[in-house]
Amino acid sequence: MQKTVFITTILMVLFLSCDENAKPDPVTPCIQQKINEFKLVSSAESIIKILRPEGDLYWFVDDEAVGFELVSDSNCGFVCVTECNCVSEHGCDASIFNFPRKVIWEK
């Protein structure tokens, strides 16, 4: 009887922890639309969520060498570009890449 209770408890813990991990982080509708569109781009490599205390950023990583990679806020607002071999005031401050990051999609 005790074995059954123990095994049932272990299975419930495993089930609940798996269920929790299966839920994707919610994103705003505009970011979800951007994600869906970006996935269709042939050079799309990954989408990385930058976890900043003042608000998450979304880095759309492109594997083309001549392009630039867009970083947006959760409301689809332009933040900066990275991987741009150009002179521009719109380049990303390197400090945003010091925050924790999470890959939310990868090709």
Side-chain angles (χ1 to χ4, degrees):
M1 177 74 167
Q2 287 180 329
K3 276 187 175 179
T4 304
V5 170
F6 178 73
I7 291 173
T8 303
T9 303
I10 295 296
L11 289 174
M12 292 210 35
V13 168
L14 290 173
F15 175 74
L16 292 175
S17 66
C18 288
D19 186 42
E20 188 66 46
N21 291 333
K23 295 179 185 175
D25 290 337
V27 295
T28 60
C30 72
I31 285 293
Q32 187 58 58
Q33 181 178 348
K34 270 184 107 101
I35 289 170
N36 294 343
E37 291 170 358
F38 186 72
K39 287 178 180 181
L40 299 174
V41 175
S42 64
S43 61
E45 185 177 308
S46 63
I47 301 169
I48 300 172
K49 186 175 185 178
I50 301 171
L51 308 166
R52 297 184 319 157
E54 59 270 18
D56 296 333
L57 299 177
Y58 296 87
W59 177 15
F60 294 84
V61 180
D62 188 319
D63 67 0
E64 273 190 19
V66 294
F68 63 88
E69 298 171 351
L70 179 68
V71 177
S72 297
D73 63 19
S74 60
N75 294 317
C76 294
F78 172 82
V79 174
C80 59
V81 293
T82 186
E83 297 296 321
C84 178
N85 296 328
C86 55
V87 177
S88 172
E89 68 276 7
H90 301 297
C92 293
D93 180 341
S95 67
I96 68 168
F97 302 107
N98 294 334
F99 292 103
R101 293 178 271 178
K102 178 181 178 183
V103 176
I104 59 173
W105 175 80
E106 198 168 33
K107 189 185 263 184

